[in-house]
PDB file of all heavy atoms in Angstrom:
ATOM      1  N   GLN A   8      10.568  21.548  -7.227  1.00 97.00           N
ATOM      2  CA  GLN A   8      11.228  20.393  -6.605  1.00 97.00           C
ATOM      3  C   GLN A   8      10.756  19.123  -7.287  1.00 97.00           C
ATOM      4  O   GLN A   8       9.599  18.757  -7.191  1.00 97.00           O
ATOM      5  CB  GLN A   8      10.891  20.331  -5.113  1.00 97.00           C
ATOM      6  CG  GLN A   8      11.216  21.586  -4.343  1.00 97.00           C
ATOM      7  CD  GLN A   8      10.237  21.777  -3.183  1.00 97.00           C
ATOM      8  OE1 GLN A   8       9.036  21.747  -3.373  1.00 97.00           O
ATOM      9  NE2 GLN A   8      10.754  21.978  -1.986  1.00 97.00           N
ATOM     10  N   ILE A  11      12.183  14.993  -3.357  1.00 98.00           N
ATOM     11  CA  ILE A  11      12.655  15.353  -2.017  1.00 98.00           C
ATOM     12  C   ILE A  11      12.749  14.071  -1.208  1.00 98.00           C
ATOM     13  O   ILE A  11      11.842  13.226  -1.259  1.00 98.00           O
ATOM     14  CB  ILE A  11      11.685  16.326  -1.311  1.00 98.00           C
ATOM     15  CG1 ILE A  11      11.512  17.622  -2.100  1.00 98.00           C
ATOM     16  CG2 ILE A  11      12.175  16.618   0.104  1.00 98.00           C
ATOM     17  CD1 ILE A  11      10.480  18.563  -1.481  1.00 98.00           C
ATOM     18  N   VAL A  19       8.648  18.809   6.149  1.00 98.00           N
ATOM     19  CA  VAL A  19       9.016  19.025   4.752  1.00 98.00           C
ATOM     20  C   VAL A  19       7.991  19.949   4.102  1.00 98.00           C
ATOM     21  O   VAL A  19       6.790  19.845   4.378  1.00 98.00           O
ATOM     22  CB  VAL A  19       9.126  17.690   3.993  1.00 98.00           C
ATOM     23  CG1 VAL A  19       7.820  16.900   4.050  1.00 98.00           C
ATOM     24  CG2 VAL A  19       9.572  17.896   2.563  1.00 98.00           C
ATOM     25  N   THR A  20       8.472  20.852   3.267  1.00 98.00           N
ATOM     26  CA  THR A  20       7.601  21.780   2.550  1.00 98.00           C
ATOM     27  C   THR A  20       7.731  21.573   1.059  1.00 98.00           C
ATOM     28  O   THR A  20       8.847  21.563   0.515  1.00 98.00           O
ATOM     29  CB  THR A  20       7.930  23.243   2.899  1.00 98.00           C
ATOM     30  OG1 THR A  20       7.650  23.466   4.282  1.00 98.00           O
ATOM     31  CG2 THR A  20       7.073  24.201   2.077  1.00 98.00           C
ATOM     32  N   LEU A  21       6.597  21.413   0.417  1.00 98.00           N
ATOM     33  CA  LEU A  21       6.545  21.257  -1.035  1.00 98.00           C
ATOM     34  C   LEU A  21       6.078  22.580  -1.629  1.00 98.00           C
ATOM     35  O   LEU A  21       5.039  23.121  -1.233  1.00 98.00           O
ATOM     36  CB  LEU A  21       5.562  20.140  -1.419  1.00 98.00           C
ATOM     37  CG  LEU A  21       5.753  18.799  -0.698  1.00 98.00           C
ATOM     38  CD1 LEU A  21       4.741  17.793  -1.195  1.00 98.00           C
ATOM     39  CD2 LEU A  21       7.166  18.292  -0.851  1.00 98.00           C
ATOM     40  N   ASP A  22       6.847  23.083  -2.583  1.00 98.00           N
ATOM     41  CA  ASP A  22       6.564  24.399  -3.142  1.00 98.00           C
ATOM     42  C   ASP A  22       5.659  24.319  -4.369  1.00 98.00           C
ATOM     43  O   ASP A  22       5.743  23.386  -5.162  1.00 98.00           O
ATOM     44  CB  ASP A  22       7.872  25.088  -3.544  1.00 98.00           C
ATOM     45  CG  ASP A  22       8.795  25.326  -2.355  1.00 98.00           C
ATOM     46  OD1 ASP A  22       8.280  25.454  -1.226  1.00 98.00           O
ATOM     47  OD2 ASP A  22      10.017  25.379  -2.558  1.00 98.00           O
ATOM     48  N   CYS A  23       4.827  25.342  -4.507  1.00 98.00           N
ATOM     49  CA  CYS A  23       3.962  25.455  -5.678  1.00 98.00           C
ATOM     50  C   CYS A  23       3.820  26.931  -6.026  1.00 98.00           C
ATOM     51  O   CYS A  23       3.412  27.731  -5.179  1.00 98.00           O
ATOM     52  CB  CYS A  23       2.589  24.852  -5.405  1.00 98.00           C
ATOM     53  SG  CYS A  23       1.375  25.122  -6.731  1.00 98.00           S
ATOM     54  N   TRP A  36      -4.283  20.610  -4.079  1.00 97.00           N
ATOM     55  CA  TRP A  36      -3.185  19.672  -3.913  1.00 97.00           C
ATOM     56  C   TRP A  36      -3.764  18.260  -3.963  1.00 97.00           C
ATOM     57  O   TRP A  36      -4.829  17.992  -3.384  1.00 97.00           O
ATOM     58  CB  TRP A  36      -2.457  19.857  -2.579  1.00 97.00           C
ATOM     59  CG  TRP A  36      -1.403  20.914  -2.611  1.00 97.00           C
ATOM     60  CD1 TRP A  36      -1.525  22.211  -2.246  1.00 97.00           C
ATOM     61  CD2 TRP A  36      -0.046  20.751  -3.031  1.00 97.00           C
ATOM     62  NE1 TRP A  36      -0.338  22.879  -2.421  1.00 97.00           N
ATOM     63  CE2 TRP A  36       0.591  22.002  -2.895  1.00 97.00           C
ATOM     64  CE3 TRP A  36       0.706  19.657  -3.505  1.00 97.00           C
ATOM     65  CZ2 TRP A  36       1.928  22.208  -3.215  1.00 97.00           C
ATOM     66  CZ3 TRP A  36       2.037  19.858  -3.827  1.00 97.00           C
ATOM     67  CH2 TRP A  36       2.639  21.122  -3.683  1.00 97.00           C
ATOM     68  N   PHE A  75       1.404  28.557  -3.235  1.00 97.00           N
ATOM     69  CA  PHE A  75       0.466  27.742  -2.433  1.00 97.00           C
ATOM     70  C   PHE A  75       1.255  26.532  -1.960  1.00 97.00           C
ATOM     71  O   PHE A  75       1.164  25.446  -2.512  1.00 97.00           O
ATOM     72  CB  PHE A  75      -0.735  27.351  -3.295  1.00 97.00           C
ATOM     73  CG  PHE A  75      -1.827  26.643  -2.540  1.00 97.00           C
ATOM     74  CD1 PHE A  75      -2.249  27.072  -1.292  1.00 97.00           C
ATOM     75  CD2 PHE A  75      -2.474  25.548  -3.110  1.00 97.00           C
ATOM     76  CE1 PHE A  75      -3.266  26.431  -0.611  1.00 97.00           C
ATOM     77  CE2 PHE A  75      -3.500  24.889  -2.438  1.00 97.00           C
ATOM     78  CZ  PHE A  75      -3.896  25.338  -1.196  1.00 97.00           C
ATOM     79  N   ASN A  76       2.046  26.738  -0.904  1.00 97.00           N
ATOM     80  CA  ASN A  76       2.967  25.708  -0.435  1.00 97.00           C
ATOM     81  C   ASN A  76       2.317  24.768   0.562  1.00 97.00           C
ATOM     82  O   ASN A  76       1.410  25.147   1.304  1.00 97.00           O
ATOM     83  CB  ASN A  76       4.205  26.352   0.179  1.00 97.00           C
ATOM     84  CG  ASN A  76       4.997  27.143  -0.842  1.00 97.00           C
ATOM     85  OD1 ASN A  76       4.893  26.917  -2.048  1.00 97.00           O
ATOM     86  ND2 ASN A  76       5.777  28.099  -0.362  1.00 97.00           N
ATOM     87  N   PHE A  77       2.828  23.578   0.601  1.00 97.00           N
ATOM     88  CA  PHE A  77       2.258  22.482   1.389  1.00 97.00           C
ATOM     89  C   PHE A  77       3.335  21.949   2.329  1.00 97.00           C
ATOM     90  O   PHE A  77       4.415  21.568   1.884  1.00 97.00           O
ATOM     91  CB  PHE A  77       1.774  21.413   0.412  1.00 97.00           C
ATOM     92  CG  PHE A  77       1.305  20.122   1.018  1.00 97.00           C
ATOM     93  CD1 PHE A  77       0.705  20.081   2.271  1.00 97.00           C
ATOM     94  CD2 PHE A  77       1.438  18.936   0.314  1.00 97.00           C
ATOM     95  CE1 PHE A  77       0.261  18.886   2.816  1.00 97.00           C
ATOM     96  CE2 PHE A  77       0.990  17.728   0.843  1.00 97.00           C
ATOM     97  CZ  PHE A  77       0.401  17.702   2.089  1.00 97.00           C
ATOM     98  N   THR A  78       3.016  21.937   3.613  1.00 97.00           N
ATOM     99  CA  THR A  78       3.978  21.459   4.613  1.00 97.00           C
ATOM    100  C   THR A  78       3.441  20.226   5.323  1.00 97.00           C
ATOM    101  O   THR A  78       2.284  20.211   5.748  1.00 97.00           O
ATOM    102  CB  THR A  78       4.299  22.556   5.643  1.00 97.00           C
ATOM    103  OG1 THR A  78       4.919  23.653   4.972  1.00 97.00           O
ATOM    104  CG2 THR A  78       5.234  22.034   6.727  1.00 97.00           C
ATOM    105  N   TYR A  90       3.267  14.343  -5.116  1.00 98.00           N
ATOM    106  CA  TYR A  90       2.285  15.354  -4.775  1.00 98.00           C
ATOM    107  C   TYR A  90       2.157  16.356  -5.928  1.00 98.00           C
ATOM    108  O   TYR A  90       3.166  16.878  -6.421  1.00 98.00           O
ATOM    109  CB  TYR A  90       2.687  16.080  -3.487  1.00 98.00           C
ATOM    110  CG  TYR A  90       2.579  15.193  -2.276  1.00 98.00           C
ATOM    111  CD1 TYR A  90       3.633  14.361  -1.904  1.00 98.00           C
ATOM    112  CD2 TYR A  90       1.417  15.174  -1.511  1.00 98.00           C
ATOM    113  CE1 TYR A  90       3.531  13.530  -0.807  1.00 98.00           C
ATOM    114  CE2 TYR A  90       1.313  14.348  -0.407  1.00 98.00           C
ATOM    115  CZ  TYR A  90       2.371  13.530  -0.059  1.00 98.00           C
ATOM    116  OH  TYR A  90       2.261  12.699   1.032  1.00 98.00           O
ATOM    117  N   THR A 110       5.906  16.618  -7.308  1.00 97.00           N
ATOM    118  CA  THR A 110       7.107  16.463  -6.490  1.00 97.00           C
ATOM    119  C   THR A 110       7.053  15.090  -5.839  1.00 97.00           C
ATOM    120  O   THR A 110       6.063  14.769  -5.162  1.00 97.00           O
ATOM    121  CB  THR A 110       7.184  17.540  -5.388  1.00 97.00           C
ATOM    122  OG1 THR A 110       7.292  18.825  -5.982  1.00 97.00           O
ATOM    123  CG2 THR A 110       8.384  17.289  -4.480  1.00 97.00           C
TER     124      THR A 110
END
Side-chain angles (χ1 to χ4, degrees):
Chain A
Q8 305 149 308
I11 300 176
V19 58
T20 295
L21 309 181
D22 298 333
C23 173
W36 275 95
F75 186 43
N76 296 338
F77 173 31
T78 297
Y90 291 86
T110 296

